[in-house]
Amino acid sequence: MKKLTRLEKYHMNKVSQRSPGKVVAVTPEAMEIESRAIDRENRGHYRIAARLWLQCMDVAIGEVERARIAVRRQQCITMSNHIRQGEYSGIGCRGVVYD
């Protein structure tokens, strides 16, 4: 494993946690899961993407990396709450339900 420079250490520990930016994950395992999560986001599957971000957070090493992933996961959860798919006719309903 290579040693990190001062600048790399600074960016791992001190970078702003508010906006995720383009680079979210740093570790290779987390980058694999990140690519799958971004693919799901592009398809509009925000709940699945939020679960993948949670898996990505489990694999991540640094606190800044985890904070970036948490911000991205929260964005997915927010987007998934705005989606309404299909119609709801009630639990155990056998006929037509009128409003």
Side-chain angles (χ1 to χ4, degrees):
M1 188 148 183
K2 83 172 200 179
K3 289 188 174 184
L4 299 175
T5 64
R6 291 180 83 186
L7 185 61
E8 289 172 336
K9 288 180 187 177
Y10 170 77
H11 282 289
M12 283 183 67
N13 296 322
K14 303 291 183 185
V15 174
S16 174
Q17 299 176 7
R18 294 206 179 258
S19 66
K22 293 192 178 202
V23 177
V24 178
V26 180
T27 56
E29 297 89 6
M31 290 175 79
E32 288 180 22
I33 299 171
E34 175 190 6
S35 65
R36 292 188 348 220
I38 291 173
D39 182 48
R40 288 297 186 159
E41 284 179 5
N42 292 336
R43 291 183 194 176
H45 303 157
Y46 293 108
R47 291 184 183 174
I48 297 172
R51 182 185 56 83
L52 287 170
W53 284 117
L54 189 62
Q55 288 178 352
C56 187
M57 192 182 303
D58 289 339
V59 177
I61 294 174
E63 288 298 319
V64 174
E65 183 179 8
R66 285 190 181 115
R68 288 184 195 143
I69 293 169
V71 168
R72 193 67 181 262
R73 181 172 185 263
Q74 188 60 40
Q75 289 173 356
C76 284
I77 291 170
T78 303
M79 290 297 290
S80 72
N81 289 336
H82 295 273
I83 295 175
R84 179 174 179 240
Q85 295 181 2
E87 294 188 18
Y88 177 71
S89 62
I91 297 172
C93 178
R94 294 180 179 230
V96 178
V97 175
Y98 299 101
D99 288 338

